[in-house]
Amino acid sequence: MKEPKHLDLYLDSPDELESILYNNKHKLAVTIAEFLIWALENNVDDFIFAEVTVKDPESESEEHSLTLGCKREDYHTALEKQLKNLIEFEEFEMCPKLQEWIDYLDVEEKVKK
């Protein structure tokens, strides 16, 4: 699997962030799931799944950007959340792979203890 494409999100004001994330929950769930699978298959310790560009409310020409990502220590939790989200959106294709990685990380955690 090649590296997935991150999402580009554009906001007219910082106040829109929560609503834009909520309105794009399906797309975000699929994108994060793709990145998690890719990162684990390629032993990548972190990834950026979205870049958010926000217009500066004080200036028409200025913009600020931030990135949304995930680090390896958060992969297990992220896998569980995305599995739940994908089931909710009836996106079943990646579910077995997410469960496989959840199980793998469970075993990895037990071995470390």
Side-chain angles (χ1 to χ4, degrees), residues 3 5 10 19 24 30-31 38-41 43 47 51 58-59 82 90 95 97 104 113:
E3 181 176 358
K5 184 174 177 353
Y10 301 94
S19 66
N24 287 286
V30 171
T31 300
W38 168 81
L40 286 160
E41 287 179 348
N43 201 26
F47 59 84
E51 185 166 327
E58 305 293 320
S59 167
Q82 297 323 308
E90 298 182 3
C95 291
K97 198 60 153 169
Y104 176 87
K113 290 182 177 182

Side-chain angles (χ1 to χ4, degrees), residues 28-87:
L28 280 164
V30 171
T31 300
I32 295 169
E34 290 172 344
F35 267 103
L36 285 164
I37 293 167
W38 168 81
L40 286 160
E41 287 179 348
N42 292 283
N43 201 26
V44 175
D45 290 333
D46 56 53
F47 59 84
I48 293 169
F49 61 85
E51 185 166 327
V52 182
T53 303
V54 184
K55 287 185 183 176
D56 186 330
E58 305 293 320
S59 167
E60 286 288 322
S61 61
E62 285 192 48
E63 295 179 334
H64 303 281
S65 65
L66 62 112
T67 55
L68 304 177
C70 189
K71 295 184 178 190
R72 183 176 280 285
E73 58 264 22
D74 300 319
Y75 285 1
H76 191 276
T77 302
L79 284 162
E80 290 175 332
K81 287 180 181 177
Q82 297 323 308
L83 180 59
K84 181 180 171 212
N85 288 336
L86 292 180
I87 291 169

Side-chain angles (χ1 to χ4, degrees), residues 8-19:
D8 291 311
L9 304 172
Y10 301 94
L11 309 177
D12 288 326
S13 92
D15 299 333
E16 293 180 353
L17 183 58
E18 189 173 335
S19 66

